[in-house]
Amino acid sequence: MGSGPNGLAAAIVLAGAGLRTLVREAKPTLGGGLRSAELTLPGFVHDVCSAVHPLACSSPFFRSLPLGRYGLEWIQPAAPLAHPLDGGTAAILERSVEETARGLGPHGRDWARLFAAFARHWDALAADVLAPPLHIPRSPLMMARFGLKALLPATVLARALRGTPARALFAGNAAHAFLPLQQPGTAAFGVLLSVAGHAVGWPIARGGSQRFADALVAHLRSLGGGVETGAPVERLEELRPARIVVLDLGPHQVARIARGLLPEGYRRRLERYRYGSAAFKLDWALDAPVPWTARDCLRSATVHLGGTLEEIVASEAAHERGEVHERPFVLFVQPTLFDPSRAPPGRHTAWAYCHVPNGWTGDASDRIERQVERFAPGFRERILARSVITPAEFERRNANLVGGDVNGGAMDLAQVFRRPVLGPTPYRTPLRGVYLCSASTPPGGGVHGMGGYFAAQAALADLG
Ligand SMILES: Cc1cc2nc3c(=O)[nH]c(=O)nc-3n(C[C@H](O)[C@H](O)[C@H](O)COP(=O)(O)OP(=O)(O)OC[C@H]3O[C@@H](n4cnc5c(N)ncnc54)[C@H](O)[C@@H]3O)c2cc1C
């Protein structure tokens, strides 16, 4: 139930094992967080949610699928990430650790010291990180080394890097946690996203993320699986004729659709599950590329707009207090520089969001555009049309995005280990044959499909 990357991954595993499999999706189109749509003007294709795919390219399960056969093509921009600073310079995350270190100035070696070993062993590290927290690590030494750094607050690990550009680059990656960067565990996001950039890049899918979902669906169909759209499930009993039900849903939704069926203690744990801060997103149709002052920003699809470590720390503390900073940290993507198929000739699209409190009802459009203007004066003159997606609109488009939380629940340390419950197989529910697989299960938010993969493996094991 649910056709997000986790739901489709689960369906592919089950269909691949020879079971008759059907995906039921509430909305008229498939893909959940992998959808693309003409949000602004005809001919301009925008990724509604996910746009950049270091996690998909690190996912042991997605990497094992023949998705190229079904039209999925990764585009690797010259550099994974650019992070402009005032004064017209930019810190650049290059594919090569060495080149990144050289570009970061006199103290660039700090970057290599921190990340080079993890980048060399990324396959093993990614397999361990994209797994349930209670498992026997494939690479125990590397995991121990990673854990010592990952458990720190990002603000503390940042001290291992000297110089404004390196600290800013790291802070922008850590800010993907959607948490104040003084919180323990936020360093993990900074390490993982930096290292993934070196190891697998931060690619985009030619034609938009929807092509990724379409390839997953095509592969599922090739295995005999079916899909049904516009078919919301309101009550778990509707699905009961199935021997296995895998729910690509959040804990609160599960508690609702399974009301009266779940043991009281488990239902209360689902209801206690916490959602985190939200996204406020803009998409633009542009008549030309973004006029970055730092021309290096044109080498990357992803650009982090937040200035220095200190500024990003202030921005990420604000949404946790229920506020939105005047200069919010903005995640910005410019796919058409590398994929002209997404817009009419000579035209461009851009995608951006900032973090806001869960369920926030304000308007961050001006603040986001001012951050782009700060590093690309004249940007606003290039806008042909804009689309705004508020936290409430996210939830209307996809019931899993509760209050606009894009990660399927707060990713703080406590909840990384209890997603939604602690255990070696948190995908199992107390109901026979019913499993959870969404981003609210380990390893959490992002397009990697590993929640779906592990949930389906648990189901197959229970079937014997
Ligand atoms: C703005 C934004 C930007 C993001 N950027 C990135 C990125 O660049 N890279 C990245 O890796 N990740 C990104 N993410 C996160 C990523 O999209 C999600 O973590 C991922 O899609 C979660 O997958 P999922 O399968 O758990 O659920 P989802 O993708 O949310 O899919 C759940 C599906 O279940 C369906 N559903 C819900 N209720 C019902 C019901 N009652 N009956 C039937 N169907 C139902 C929904 O309609 C939806 O299709 C982003 C998310 C957002 C919102």
Side-chain angles (χ1 to χ4, degrees), residues 331-351:
L331 296 92
F332 186 95
V333 179
Q334 43 186 5
T336 42
L337 283 183
F338 309 92
D339 180 9
S341 75
R342 299 186 191 202
R347 305 292 200 227
H348 287 270
T349 64
W351 165 120

Side-chain angles (χ1 to χ4, degrees), residues 201-227:
W202 286 28
I204 57 173
R206 187 176 303 283
S209 292
Q210 184 73 55
R211 295 281 180 86
F212 186 4
D214 294 348
L216 289 169
V217 171
H219 182 51
L220 172 65
R221 287 188 200 277
S222 78
L223 298 170
V227 291

Side-chain angles (χ1 to χ4, degrees), residues 106-383:
H107 301 298
R109 292 302 311 156
D110 295 346
W111 188 272
R113 257 195 301 278
L114 203 52
F115 300 124
F118 295 137
R120 273 197 306 278
H121 298 280
W122 178 242
D123 284 357
L125 182 60
D128 280 332
V129 171
L130 295 176
L134 298 187
H135 76 284
I136 298 166
R138 193 170 128 182
S139 175
L141 279 180
M142 196 47 61
M143 260 314 264
R145 235 173 121 175
F146 167 71
L148 286 175
K149 296 186 166 59
L151 291 172
L152 295 172
T155 45
V156 173
L157 190 60
R159 290 185 206 143
L161 298 163
R162 284 165 296 171
T164 301
R167 288 185 171 184
L169 193 60
F170 175 73
N173 287 342
H176 284 246
F178 273 75
L179 293 167
L181 300 189
Q182 298 92 337
Q183 275 198 20
T186 47
F189 293 80
V191 175
L192 291 175
L193 288 172
S194 303
V195 175
H198 295 309
V200 296
W202 286 28
I204 57 173
R206 187 176 303 283
S209 292
Q210 184 73 55
R211 295 281 180 86
F212 186 4
D214 294 348
L216 289 169
V217 171
H219 182 51
L220 172 65
R221 287 188 200 277
S222 78
L223 298 170
V227 291
E228 199 178 317
T229 52
V233 180
E234 302 295 344
R235 299 282 299 146
L236 191 59
E237 289 93 326
E238 294 171 45
L239 305 171
R240 281 317 260 177
R243 285 168 75 196
I244 294 176
V245 173
V246 186
L247 303 171
D248 188 5
L249 297 184
H252 294 189
Q253 295 148 276
V254 174
R256 188 173 52 75
I257 70 156
R259 58 188 175 277
L261 301 174
L262 292 168
E264 194 52 21
Y266 186 78
R267 186 187 59 76
R268 269 205 304 274
R269 279 152 92 185
L270 295 184
E271 284 174 350
R272 275 204 300 267
Y273 187 81
R274 288 173 294 110
Y275 283 89
S277 290
F280 186 102
K281 180 165 180 271
L282 296 183
D283 286 274
W284 299 276
L286 304 172
D287 70 0
V290 180
W292 301 110
T293 308
R295 305 301 289 169
D296 262 353
C297 292
L298 294 167
R299 295 178 52 231
S300 174
T302 311
V303 186
H304 282 165
L305 306 173
T308 62
L309 162 78
E310 291 73 18
E311 283 180 87
I312 297 171
V313 168
S315 162
E316 297 310 289
H319 56 81
E320 192 77 358
R321 282 197 309 269
E323 297 163 18
V324 179
H325 201 270
E326 271 309 301
R327 283 180 148 191
F329 171 66
V330 173
L331 296 92
F332 186 95
V333 179
Q334 43 186 5
T336 42
L337 283 183
F338 309 92
D339 180 9
S341 75
R342 299 186 191 202
R347 305 292 200 227
H348 287 270
T349 64
W351 165 120
Y353 70 82
C354 74
H355 302 160
V356 299
N358 191 282
W360 194 62
T361 53
D363 185 353
S365 309
D366 184 52
R367 276 174 261 204
I368 292 176
E369 288 187 359
R370 273 193 277 122
Q371 281 289 58
V372 188
E373 276 283 331
R374 173 179 166 194
F375 300 103
F379 166 72
R380 275 184 159 144
E381 286 146 39
R382 302 199 167 170
I383 299 173

Side-chain angles (χ1 to χ4, degrees), residues 1-7 24-27 31-33 35 48-52 55 231-233 248-249 253 281 351 353 394 398-401 406 438-439 445-447:
M1 174 177 161
S3 69
N6 283 313
R24 266 183 76 166
E25 166 56 48
K27 298 294 175 184
R35 293 182 181 114
V48 181
C49 299
S50 68
V52 185
L55 295 178
V233 180
D248 188 5
L249 297 184
Q253 295 148 276
K281 180 165 180 271
W351 165 120
Y353 70 82
F394 270 126
N398 177 351
N400 286 27
L401 306 178
V406 311
S438 71
V447 175

